[in-house]
Amino acid sequence: MPVRRVSLAMLASTLMALWLVPTSAAEQAQDVSQTAAADQVLTWTAGDSMTEYNTAPTEATAGAATIVFENSTATGNTFGMSHTLTFDTSTPGYNHDVDLNIVASPYDSNGGKHEAQVNLTPGKYRYFCAIPGHGEMVGEFVVTEGGGGEDITPPQVSAEITGDQDADGNYVGSATIAVSATDADSGVASVEYEIDDTGFLPYTEPVTVDEPGDHAVQFRATDNAGNASETGS
C-alpha cells in the first residue's frame, strides 16, 4: 500500500478539538448482551389441548433471551385449565443449565401471560408441561452460536485528514487525523496508530501532527474475536 505523506509548511498554535473515543471491548460485550435480551423473544402458547402447545419455537441463538409463556383466553383456553412451561434438567442429551418452571392460567394474576429472562447456551433444550395428565405436551428446540458462527472477518478501518492546506496541498500549521473502525460481527475491540514508525499506541481521539516536514501516520484495528485489520497509511 503506498504511504500517504502529510507535509506541514508551518507551526500553528491552535489545534483542532475533535474527540472520538472508541468503545471498549467490555462495553461492547455488555451492549451486545443487552441487545440480545431485548431482541430475542421466544414465545410458547397453550390453550384447551392437553397433548400439545399451540405454538413453540424450534430454534434460538445463544445468549440472553426473554421467554414468554401465555396460556389465556386470547390463546384459546376456554376451560380455565392450567399449564406449565418447564425446562427439562435431567434427561441425557439436552442442556440442563436453565431451570425454568412457569405455571400459567387464564385466571391468574397475570391473565395467563408470563415472562422470564434466561441465558441460553449452544445445544438442545427439552421442555414439557408438568401438570399430571399433560405428559404429551413436550418438545425441543436447538440453540446455535450467534452471528451465524465464528467471526473470521477482520474489522474495516479508515482515516480522514483535516486541516488548512496551501496551493500545493501541504497542510499548513497542523493536520488532524481521525481514525474510524467498524466490525459487523463481534465488534471493534481496539484501534491503534503510530507516527513515523515510532511504535503503535492506543487510539482514543483524533491525532494532531504539527511538526514541519513529511510524516507518515499508520493505523489498524482488532475485533473482539482477535481478527486484525490490514495496516492503513
Side-chain angles (χ1 to χ4, degrees):
M1 175 181 292
V3 175
R4 182 176 182 180
R5 296 284 178 178
V6 179
S7 182
L8 303 180
M10 59 182 289
L11 226 59
S13 59
T14 304
L15 301 181
M16 188 172 295
L18 296 177
W19 299 86
L20 296 176
V21 181
T23 304
S24 70
E27 291 171 332
Q28 288 176 343
Q30 181 180 21
D31 290 342
V32 170
S33 177
Q34 291 173 342
T35 300
D39 292 347
Q40 183 170 217
V41 179
L42 306 177
T43 302
W44 281 257
T45 63
D48 287 341
S49 176
M50 294 188 296
T51 61
E52 61 182 359
Y53 291 90
N54 289 351
T55 61
T58 58
E59 58 185 13
T61 301
T66 299
I67 301 292
V68 177
F69 178 43
E70 184 171 2
N71 175 38
S72 67
T73 56
T75 59
N77 191 320
T78 62
F79 300 152
M81 181 167 47
S82 295
H83 293 294
T84 79
L85 174 61
T86 306
F87 275 30
D88 190 331
T89 58
S90 61
T91 301
Y94 296 95
N95 292 3
H96 299 149
D97 55 351
V98 175
D99 188 5
L100 183 73
N101 184 44
I102 301 175
V103 181
S105 163
Y107 305 121
D108 64 29
S109 59
N110 291 328
K113 186 174 182 179
H114 300 260
E115 294 185 6
Q117 301 298 321
V118 301
N119 191 68
L120 303 174
T121 55
K124 188 163 56 175
Y125 289 84
R126 181 179 182 271
Y127 59 87
F128 61 94
C129 179
I131 301 293
H134 297 189
E136 293 183 59
M137 294 180 67
V138 63
E140 61 184 42
F141 67 100
V142 176
V143 176
T144 57
E145 290 282 2
E150 182 182 1
D151 177 10
I152 59 173
T153 304
Q156 299 292 314
V157 62
S158 61
E160 180 182 7
I161 305 174
T162 56
D164 295 331
Q165 294 177 271
D166 62 19
D168 295 324
N170 299 313
Y171 286 88
V172 180
S174 67
T176 299
I177 299 92
V179 182
S180 61
T182 59
D183 187 89
D185 295 323
S186 61
V188 177
S190 64
V191 180
E192 298 174 297
Y193 77 98
E194 71 170 357
I195 300 175
D196 296 333
D197 299 320
T198 55
F200 278 93
L201 297 171
Y203 174 85
T204 59
E205 63 187 58
V207 178
T208 297
V209 180
D210 56 12
E211 290 291 334
D214 290 340
H215 301 280
V217 179
Q218 296 181 305
F219 44 90
R220 66 191 183 190
T222 303
D223 64 21
N224 286 300
N227 303 303
S229 70
E230 294 185 2
T231 299
S233 297

